[in-house]
Amino acid sequence: MKIELREKAIELRLQGYTYSEILKVTPVSRSTLSLWLRSVGLSTRQKQRITELKLQSAKRGALIRKQERIRKTIQIKTIASNEITQLTRKELWILGTALYWAEGSKEKTGANNSGIIFSNSDPFMIRIFLLWLLEFLHIKQENIVFEIYIHESHKNRLEVVKKYWSDHCSFPLSKFDRIYYGLKELYIIAEWCNGNTTVFGTVFLGSNPSSAASKN
């Protein structure tokens, strides 16, 4: 019986079959199969077939891992969304303060009216920070002016980028008409001025909005 299996395994190997394919039709251990086939030579074409099959297997494995990662990410986001349904004003105040603490510029000792600089590429984080400015710092929407700094390579899709930030920031498209070219990254800057005081500042929104830059 083993002689027949060995001959069958050698025949399949000579046809360019992989160990995994041969093991499916020859019920022996991999170590036994390796012993049987160690002296079996393969042609260049057979080696190429085996290499291609290995690459296909690796791609399938990578796809499965990617799909599992996406599934877990969706599951985590769903659970988190169910746990936090709506933010209270106190929570929004703390969240905005934490965002400024983590991502905003800090006024140096002795500096007056140096303003606020906020830099981040997450459009949802930017929306929260804008809401924080409007709700708690009482900056009027009409006093917020946006500027876009964009690399020359994105010049042909400027309208797409402007609409992207207009939609995500919930500001009119006309607010995004200040365009500057030459930088390696795309920036959105919001300048604000509180009309009731002399306070003036700048808020950088999105140091590298790859999600906008990647859209066609």
Side-chain angles (χ1 to χ4, degrees):
M1 181 67 176
K2 274 201 170 184
I3 294 176
E4 293 177 357
L5 289 175
R6 181 174 180 273
E7 291 176 349
K8 184 176 183 180
I10 292 174
E11 180 183 352
L12 292 173
R13 186 60 171 173
L14 288 172
Q15 294 177 28
Y17 280 67
T18 64
Y19 276 34
S20 297
E21 290 175 320
I22 296 172
L23 286 171
K24 290 179 181 179
V25 294
T26 53
V28 297
S29 66
R30 181 174 284 271
S31 59
T32 298
L33 185 65
S34 179
L35 182 64
W36 288 351
L37 303 179
R38 63 183 178 180
S39 61
V40 178
L42 296 174
S43 66
T44 301
R45 184 175 180 181
Q46 290 168 340
K47 290 179 180 179
Q48 184 178 359
R49 177 184 181 274
I50 292 174
T51 300
E52 290 175 353
L53 289 174
K54 288 181 179 179
L55 290 174
Q56 291 174 10
S57 178
K59 288 180 180 179
R60 287 194 298 270
L63 179 60
I64 291 173
R65 290 191 295 272
K66 179 181 179 181
Q67 291 173 338
E68 178 63 15
R69 185 172 65 253
I70 292 173
R71 185 192 67 79
K72 287 183 177 179
T73 300
I74 293 174
Q75 183 183 39
I76 291 171
K77 287 184 176 181
T78 300
I79 293 173
S81 297
N82 292 334
E83 290 179 350
I84 305 175
T85 55
Q86 187 173 359
L87 293 176
T88 64
R89 282 187 61 82
K90 181 179 180 181
E91 290 169 338
L92 181 58
W93 164 252
I94 294 173
L95 180 57
T97 303
L99 285 178
Y100 173 64
W101 189 9
E103 302 288 344
S105 66
K106 312 303 182 292
E107 187 173 272
K108 296 181 180 179
T109 304
N112 294 318
N113 299 332
S114 61
I116 296 175
I117 298 177
F118 181 80
S119 179
N120 196 276
S121 61
D122 189 323
F124 299 103
M125 196 175 291
I126 290 171
R127 287 176 62 181
I128 290 175
F129 194 76
L130 280 172
L131 181 61
W132 185 73
L133 290 177
L134 294 167
E135 291 290 325
F136 297 102
L137 299 190
H138 306 296
I139 307 302
K140 294 181 180 180
Q141 190 173 20
E142 58 266 27
N143 289 332
I144 297 178
V145 179
F146 294 87
E147 296 179 355
I148 297 178
Y149 286 69
I150 187 170
H151 192 272
E152 288 280 352
S153 60
H154 295 297
K155 192 173 183 178
N156 63 330
R157 43 185 307 281
L158 178 60
E159 294 305 317
V160 175
V161 175
K162 288 168 60 177
K163 187 176 187 309
Y164 174 88
W165 286 112
S166 173
D167 291 343
H168 280 282
C169 295
S170 298
F171 275 72
L173 190 62
S174 58
K175 283 281 189 179
F176 299 83
D177 57 356
R178 295 189 180 186
I179 313 299
Y180 301 90
Y181 297 99
L183 298 183
K184 293 183 178 180
E185 295 180 324
L186 183 150
Y187 290 81
I188 292 184
I189 303 173
E191 294 183 345
W192 56 267
C193 178
N194 189 334
N196 298 324
T197 69
T198 58
V199 176
F200 181 81
T202 304
V203 183
F204 289 76
L205 305 178
S207 59
N208 184 17
S210 56
S211 51
S214 64
K215 292 180 180 291
N216 294 320

